[in-house]
Amino acid sequence: MGLTGLQIFKYTPAAQKLEHTNCKECGCPTCMAFSLKLAKQQIEIDKCPYASEELKEKYNQEIKPAQKTISIGDLKIGGENVLYRHEKTFVNKTIIAIFVDYSDKNYEKNLQEICNFETNILNEKQKVDLLIFKNTDNIPEGLPIYAITESELKNIGLNIIYEKDFDSTKEELINTRQKAILEKDEHFSAPVCVVMKNTNIEDQCARATYYLCKYANMILFEQFNKDIISTLMSLRQNIYTDPQKTLQVEPGLYKFNNPDENSIIFLTTNFALTYFAVANELSSIDKSSYLIIVPAQGMSVLTAWSAETFTPEIVAKTLKDLDIANKINTRKIIIPGLLADMKEELQIACPDFEFIEGTHEASDIPEFVETF
Ligand code: SF4
């Protein structure tokens, strides 16, 4: 399953002590950095003009994605190299695209509705990825979404499947991906776009979710429906989030139920799931509160503590950066119960505040607040 960065490094000028060692022409500071990026498919091999023939051969055999990548601006379609995310990772999320028909009497209204649509899922703002203009060659300027014409769509190298029925579309998708990945058959290396048949919303949504899982690189709808699109975006975020990168929220001071300078203060890390679990409870209780989110590289409380990304010094710096002592009169800060062992060190690092051991589970916060 591919080469590691170290295995690639052996073939670079640096390892072979050749001219151009660490020359930076590839845009990486060293040959090792280039090797690590190449192993993760984050750079093309031809960025290094000094890559040996041996390395190119290995690359073609073991790293080069089985599926081609097609770019529209910053959008990348395809480039996948595995059948299942747990084998490594999926690379480019399924593009969600909508036809905009210039000949439709509601053209302007439809276009505006699609462009205005935005959803926020786990702190990630998402919009429709791509518009396909029908019955015109003139795409309006200044759109907030990438757009191409229908004829351009047909010529960018996608394998376009016009959905007839669910079973045949499903089989074609699976067969195409298996041929590309398992057999490295170049005839099946084009990314696949499914053009959805316009049926009732529930059926269309169910079929599209299946295609998103297996294995459409792009799904194109005849008409915009925000419920279908939101559902797909939520599912897509689950599938295409790199499991090696945690979901994070912005560190800072969050407010719940219009707090004043005497409201209670909670504190935790910037791991998104921790944030949303705590935030959900704080917004549901009938007391106002603050939540201080400490930057901890997106790790959960105990992981951050053991990895030393959540230390008394980092907490002290966060309180200072947020100017908590001057903004809020409250001097008690409730920390996660799991960090009880850290209380004393926190007290020393932040003498202006008193740290209170909170609950282990976010779901116990309402009861805790009642007795606080
Ligand atoms: Fe090394 Fe090639 Fe990058 Fe130069 S261009 S630093 S030789 S990998």
Side-chain angles (χ1 to χ4, degrees):
M1 287 231 307
L3 292 171
T4 64
L6 274 181
Q7 286 168 329
I8 294 169
F9 178 68
K10 285 186 202 153
Y11 298 98
T12 63
Q16 299 187 351
K17 303 205 182 334
L18 298 174
E19 202 187 343
H20 307 297
T21 288
N22 300 333
C23 68
K24 302 186 178 61
E25 280 184 48
C26 56
C28 301
T30 60
C31 294
M32 176 58 92
F34 171 81
S35 307
L36 294 171
K37 273 194 161 188
L38 189 60
K40 290 187 197 158
Q41 295 172 33
Q42 291 170 344
I43 196 165
E44 299 292 330
I45 192 167
D46 54 16
K47 292 277 180 216
C48 171
Y50 314 109
S52 65
E53 288 308 314
E54 208 178 352
L55 176 56
K56 286 181 189 161
E57 201 177 307
K58 290 259 172 216
Y59 171 81
N60 283 329
Q61 282 170 357
E62 306 208 32
I63 305 178
K64 188 179 171 191
Q67 196 178 51
K68 289 179 187 149
T69 304
I70 291 170
S71 300
I72 301 171
D74 289 337
L75 291 183
K76 302 261 183 264
I77 312 172
E80 302 300 341
N81 219 5
V82 293
L83 281 181
Y84 306 105
R85 190 184 76 155
H86 62 259
E87 291 175 64
K88 197 167 185 184
T89 183
F90 288 152
V91 182
N92 294 311
K93 66 184 185 183
T94 303
I95 298 299
I96 296 173
I98 317 278
F99 275 122
V100 184
D101 189 348
Y102 188 70
S103 65
D104 189 316
K105 63 178 182 349
N106 294 319
Y107 161 76
E108 292 209 354
K109 185 170 160 269
N110 293 343
L111 179 59
Q112 200 172 22
E113 191 185 5
I114 301 170
C115 290
N116 288 345
F117 170 77
E118 185 173 277
T119 178
N120 188 327
I121 308 169
L122 287 180
N123 232 23
E124 192 184 311
K125 287 186 181 154
Q126 303 202 37
K127 289 180 79 67
V128 168
D129 301 299
L130 183 64
L131 301 175
I132 309 296
F133 277 76
K134 262 183 175 179
N135 297 317
T136 181
D137 286 333
N138 294 320
I139 295 175
E141 284 183 9
L143 292 175
I145 301 173
Y146 285 111
I148 57 175
T149 62
E150 190 175 16
S151 51
E152 284 170 326
L153 172 76
K154 289 177 180 163
N155 290 311
I156 55 173
L158 287 166
N159 171 5
I160 301 178
I161 300 175
Y162 292 89
E163 190 195 27
K164 291 186 202 78
D165 58 75
F166 174 65
D167 285 339
S168 65
T169 307
K170 176 182 85 173
E171 269 167 37
E172 195 171 346
L173 276 168
I174 293 173
N175 185 42
T176 303
R177 180 67 71 92
Q178 285 180 341
K179 292 260 189 213
I181 305 291
L182 301 179
E183 298 174 26
K184 297 241 174 191
D185 186 333
E186 297 232 342
H187 295 103
F188 293 86
S189 62
V192 183
C193 167
V194 177
V195 181
M196 297 294 297
K197 202 162 76 172
N198 217 9
T199 62
N200 74 56
I201 291 169
E202 290 80 9
D203 277 3
Q204 209 177 157
C205 190
R207 298 194 315 275
T209 53
Y210 186 94
Y211 301 150
L212 194 142
C213 295
K214 286 181 177 295
Y215 293 103
N217 301 103
M218 174 167 157
I219 301 179
L220 174 54
F221 293 90
E222 285 287 345
Q223 282 175 6
F224 172 70
N225 178 285
K226 70 177 169 41
D227 296 328
I228 297 180
I229 302 302
S230 305
T231 306
L232 289 183
M233 285 176 170
S234 184
L235 173 68
R236 179 178 71 172
Q237 192 186 50
N238 266 309
I239 296 172
Y240 283 85
T241 302
D242 184 342
Q244 293 171 33
K245 287 187 201 152
T246 53
L247 286 170
Q248 306 186 18
V249 292
E250 279 297 310
L253 181 66
Y254 291 78
K255 299 175 182 178
F256 298 90
N257 305 330
N258 301 316
D260 58 29
E261 64 278 7
N262 297 313
S263 298
I264 47 177
I265 310 175
F266 286 79
L267 178 146
T268 191
T269 74
N270 68 329
F271 178 45
L273 295 184
T274 300
Y275 168 81
F276 285 108
V278 176
N280 194 30
E281 299 301 335
L282 295 184
S283 52
S284 69
I285 57 179
D286 61 4
K287 281 197 170 128
S288 61
S289 60
Y290 294 99
L291 176 59
I292 297 169
I293 292 295
V294 177
Q297 295 182 19
M299 294 181 189
S300 60
V301 170
L302 276 185
T303 314
W305 178 53
S306 46
E308 299 193 349
T309 61
F310 185 92
T311 62
E313 292 71 32
I314 294 172
V315 172
K317 183 173 182 315
T318 307
L319 297 182
K320 188 163 178 272
D321 291 349
L322 295 172
D323 198 19
I324 299 296
N326 290 319
K327 278 187 189 154
I328 308 170
N329 290 339
T330 311
R331 285 294 170 265
K332 291 181 179 175
I333 297 181
I334 301 158
I335 58 170
L338 292 168
L339 294 181
D341 287 347
M342 204 179 163
K343 213 169 96 174
E344 237 172 79
E345 292 172 74
L346 280 170
Q347 213 60 77
I348 294 166
C350 316
D352 294 341
F353 295 92
E354 181 188 347
F355 291 89
I356 309 288
E357 184 185 331
T359 63
H360 284 219
E361 301 295 334
S363 55
D364 294 329
I365 287 176
E367 201 183 326
F368 173 85
V369 168
E370 283 303 314
T371 56
F372 184 65

